[in-house]
Amino acid sequence: MALAAGNAPVVDSHVHVWTSDPRYPWAANATKPDKDATPETLLELMTASGVDRTVIIQVIYYTWDNGYLADVLKKYPTKFRGVARVNPEDPEAPDHLSRLTEEQGFRGVRISPAGTAAGDWIRGPLMPPLWKRCRDLKVPMTVLAPITRMPDVARLADQFPDLTIVIDHMADSPLKQPEQLTKLLDLRRYPKLFVKISHSWSLSSQPYPYPDSQEQIRRLYDTFGPKRLMAGSDWPLVEKFCTYQQAIDIARKRIAFLSTEDRRWICGMTAEQVWPFSS
Amino acid sequence: MRSLCFLFVCVCAAAQPRYDLVLKGGHVIDAKSGVDSVRDVAVSGGRVAAVSASIPASDARRTIDVSGLYVTPGLVDMHTHVFANSMGREYTGEHGVRPDGFTFRSGVTTVVDAGS
């Protein structure tokens, strides 16, 4: 097993898998990826990069059909945790989440409201029941959304203080509008809210290791601390920008202000708290 | 006295660098002019003013050593999908490209969006 300094596990908190296979049909309106991203490829990369485990997020290409990821989780139970998607505009979404959790081993759900009015369903009446079900199931709620949606997250977080919430990719807060980040920093008041410090590669205007993103990461670090931050590669999408190894090395080696103990948390222990492999 | 003033003005004018910037030692590739070799490039007023085997640093206000790097005219990416949000009511993050990640930091100054 590859271990970080201090024998902490290295956990990549954010990857996707998919395969072009008629048993797992693509969603009708989805982009059709031109090549597969299989768990076997991922496992090879993890081994080469010293990553022990990963959290696989159901990719939008299948929308609400979690069948492929369910089979991957069943095949590799010691390597992966899975986060499902359910249709947030379906009144039965809470029950779907219960089945995915209790029968198929998923550990949480991801929602992704668009930043436009089309995503205003996050403000609608179907959200509290879904968030309540997450809390009752004791699985995390993951939110992929632009920074402008963070006040909507706060309104829901206020209602469910016992729910673990994860914000993906620093809410894609634009580096050139640093004042926007305060919408995410304001969520510090929820002690069970965590942030992934991924997507520096696409937010940056500079080449690897994207030094202009470090000030934003530093502000998140100063606000949330290393025990509420997680590194994630967003493989395979990250390969548009850099290699898997390079993506992993950003938090492990390239963020200068992190101590060895900070890296242990950000590169694995925080994700281990949110998605424990022992449970 | 008038002669002395004229001389002073001439000396000041002579001390003004000819160029705003010189990129020294880069490998210049310019398909239009057929250049594919190590050259210095001088810029003045926002335009390329000279391309030569050697341009003295003293001719420029600022000099940057770009040895080991390529120097090209702005590249044109003929097929992109520039967006960070798709599939209607769902935010999709990374499934298109953001302009910052795929333009200036990789030498591209023009992109053609083939539909986003």
Side-chain angles (χ1 to χ4, degrees):
Chain A
M1 176 185 289
L3 297 173
N7 291 337
V10 177
V11 181
D12 180 351
S13 71
H14 198 106
V15 300
H16 304 282
V17 294
W18 61 76
T19 187
S20 186
D21 184 327
R23 289 177 297 165
Y24 309 108
W26 305 118
N29 59 340
T31 303
K32 310 296 188 294
D34 55 7
K35 66 175 185 178
D36 286 356
T38 66
E40 289 75 25
T41 303
L42 175 59
L43 286 165
E44 289 176 12
L45 290 167
M46 289 164 59
T47 300
S49 304
V51 174
D52 296 297
R53 298 185 279 272
T54 66
V55 182
I56 306 178
I57 314 296
Q58 163 79 355
V59 75
I60 192 70
Y61 304 150
Y62 298 116
T63 56
W64 329 124
D65 182 344
N66 296 270
Y68 179 59
L69 180 50
D71 286 349
V72 170
L73 298 175
K74 190 175 177 183
K75 189 173 181 182
Y76 300 105
T78 65
K79 285 293 183 182
F80 304 131
R81 283 287 188 238
V83 173
R85 279 181 179 269
V86 294
N87 182 353
E89 298 180 271
D90 181 348
E92 295 185 6
D95 291 339
H96 293 160
L97 179 60
S98 289
R99 282 196 292 276
L100 288 162
T101 304
E102 293 166 347
E103 299 172 14
Q104 298 190 288
F106 282 89
R107 302 293 301 170
V109 66
R110 184 199 215 191
I111 62 170
S112 53
T116 62
D120 279 350
W121 49 258
I122 193 175
R123 300 173 180 169
L126 296 181
M127 276 299 98
L130 181 59
W131 287 54
K132 179 177 183 299
R133 188 65 61 90
C134 252
R135 181 200 64 190
D136 294 346
L137 291 166
K138 295 185 170 53
V139 295
M141 165 62 74
T142 295
V143 181
L144 167 69
I147 190 73
T148 51
R149 284 292 180 196
M150 294 304 105
D152 295 322
V153 173
R155 278 187 283 275
L156 287 157
D158 278 332
Q159 299 175 52
F160 303 101
D162 297 330
L163 173 63
T164 296
I165 301 167
V166 179
I167 304 299
D168 277 351
H169 311 317
M170 303 188 279
D172 282 337
S173 192
L175 302 183
K176 290 175 182 170
Q177 299 170 48
E179 74 285 356
Q180 290 288 313
L181 191 69
T182 57
K183 296 183 177 73
L184 178 53
L185 302 181
D186 285 347
L187 304 185
R188 69 165 76 80
R189 63 184 184 272
Y190 306 108
K192 298 191 74 171
L193 186 139
F194 300 80
V195 178
K196 293 178 190 165
I197 57 169
S198 37
H199 275 197
S200 56
W201 36 85
S202 55
L203 298 172
S204 169
S205 299
Q206 298 178 340
Y208 185 88
Y210 320 114
D212 57 342
S213 66
Q214 294 212 4
E215 174 59 24
Q216 179 154 303
I217 295 171
R218 175 82 208 206
R219 292 173 69 196
L220 290 164
Y221 172 87
D222 290 342
T223 300
F224 290 94
K227 296 181 181 179
R228 293 170 66 189
L229 299 182
M230 289 180 270
S233 71
D234 204 7
W235 181 86
L237 302 171
V238 74
E239 291 183 332
K240 291 186 294 190
F241 306 91
C242 62
T243 67
Y244 184 75
Q245 174 85 58
Q246 285 178 314
I248 294 298
D249 281 349
I250 290 174
R252 190 157 54 184
K253 298 178 180 176
R254 299 292 192 151
I255 301 176
F257 60 83
L258 297 179
S259 69
T260 300
E261 180 68 4
D262 293 336
R263 294 177 204 279
R264 293 176 69 224
W265 281 97
I266 293 172
C267 295
M269 289 169 59
T270 303
E272 191 77 29
Q273 303 286 309
V274 174
W275 291 282
F277 276 76
S278 55
S279 63
Chain B
M1 186 65 186
R2 174 184 273 181
S3 298
L4 279 175
C5 286
F6 179 73
L7 180 62
F8 179 73
V9 169
C10 288
V11 168
C12 287
Q16 290 294 317
R18 295 172 62 191
Y19 305 120
D20 297 326
L21 172 69
V22 167
L23 304 175
K24 286 197 73 68
H27 187 140
V28 176
I29 297 178
D30 179 15
K32 187 174 182 181
S33 61
V35 176
D36 182 5
S37 56
V38 174
R39 289 285 186 275
D40 292 349
V41 176
V43 178
S44 185
R47 293 177 174 274
V48 173
V51 179
S52 173
S54 179
I55 299 174
S58 57
D59 282 1
R61 296 177 200 278
R62 185 178 176 215
T63 301
I64 301 175
D65 179 2
V66 295
S67 52
L69 302 176
Y70 288 112
V71 178
T72 76
L75 302 176
V76 180
D77 186 340
M78 289 298 293
H79 190 117
T80 63
H81 300 274
V82 184
F83 65 100
N85 188 345
S86 73
M87 290 190 69
R89 303 164 82 78
E90 300 293 323
Y91 181 73
T92 57
E94 215 66 304
H95 297 266
V97 300
R98 292 161 212 268
D100 282 350
F102 287 82
T103 53
F104 296 113
R105 81 181 189 200
S106 50
V108 173
T109 55
T110 302
V111 299
V112 179
D113 192 306
S116 292

